[in-house]
Amino acid sequence: MRVLLPLLLVAGIVGCGSETETKVVACPDCEGTVSKRAATCPHCGAPLSRHASAPVEITTNSIGIITNSIGMKLRLVPAGDFLMGSPGTESVRENQETQHRVSIAKPFYMGVTEVTQEQYQKVMGKNPSEFKGPQNPVEQVSWADAVEFCRKLSAMPAEKTAGHVYRLPTEAEWEYACRSG
């Protein structure tokens, strides 16, 4: 099975440049984003001053997009609830599908586009794609290849310094992000 690489960034986020930057911090308890002036986290209620380690400062642009060291753009997806699964009115719905409410407890960053062949090459040192083009999505990549890409990207010095940790999204995170537009 071959997969595209929708990437998810978890943990503390630092860095990116933009003309419309906003300074916020990440709560060390829940990783939710909080105004730099807030006394408590609006997501988990923890007082920010009580944390043994200082909250991680995040710089995002006005629409919550960061750019990492290899040029990937990642958008902040806020925590929230949604109905996962196909509605009964969907034309290609399977009989065994049932919608159910799912809570996404922590905000997360997800890649705005699929990983490009150029980005994959920078991390993995090769391009397995059949349909070549540096800005084309990488393809001919297995799930194990995608996991290894996340591991190697997380281990890059610039990403480690920034505190970025990458992983593939869960099925619920993927559907939540897709349904949010």
Side-chain angles (χ1 to χ4, degrees):
M1 177 180 190
R2 299 294 179 186
V3 294
L4 290 176
L5 283 175
L7 279 189
L8 181 68
L9 174 62
V10 294
I13 314 293
V14 182
C16 124
S18 163
E19 303 79 44
T20 56
E21 293 182 337
T22 306
K23 299 280 185 178
V24 295
V25 295
C27 173
D29 282 354
C30 73
E31 298 172 9
T33 54
V34 182
S35 164
K36 208 167 181 184
R37 292 181 284 261
T40 61
C41 175
H43 308 288
C44 70
L48 294 177
S49 59
R50 77 161 176 76
H51 295 299
S53 61
V56 176
E57 186 173 290
I58 301 169
T59 306
T60 65
N61 64 23
S62 60
I63 54 174
I65 294 179
I66 65 167
T67 303
N68 72 5
S69 66
I70 64 166
M72 294 173 61
K73 294 191 180 313
L74 299 114
R75 180 183 299 267
L76 180 64
V77 179
D81 297 337
F82 77 109
L83 283 176
M84 186 171 176
S86 301
T89 56
E90 192 170 85
S91 62
V92 293
R93 184 176 190 266
E94 300 286 327
N95 287 338
Q96 74 274 13
E97 290 184 53
T98 56
Q99 280 192 310
H100 56 284
R101 183 151 301 280
V102 173
S103 285
I104 304 295
K106 296 180 180 181
F108 58 92
Y109 282 85
M110 182 175 262
V112 173
T113 64
E114 296 87 1
V115 175
T116 66
Q117 293 175 29
E118 180 178 47
Q119 293 162 343
Y120 191 85
Q121 176 84 35
K122 285 179 184 177
V123 174
M124 302 298 283
K126 61 182 177 182
N127 179 4
S129 300
E130 182 178 344
F131 302 99
K132 301 286 190 208
Q135 297 309 306
N136 290 348
V138 68
E139 23 89 13
Q140 302 300 314
V141 175
S142 69
W143 177 85
D145 295 335
V147 169
E148 182 65 7
F149 174 84
C150 293
R151 188 192 67 72
K152 284 187 171 185
L153 179 58
S154 296
M156 291 178 76
E159 300 303 316
K160 283 183 92 160
T161 299
H164 295 175
V165 177
Y166 297 86
R167 64 175 172 82
L168 297 176
T170 66
E171 183 179 359
E173 289 165 336
W174 175 254
E175 186 168 337
Y176 179 63
C178 289
R179 290 187 184 279
S180 72

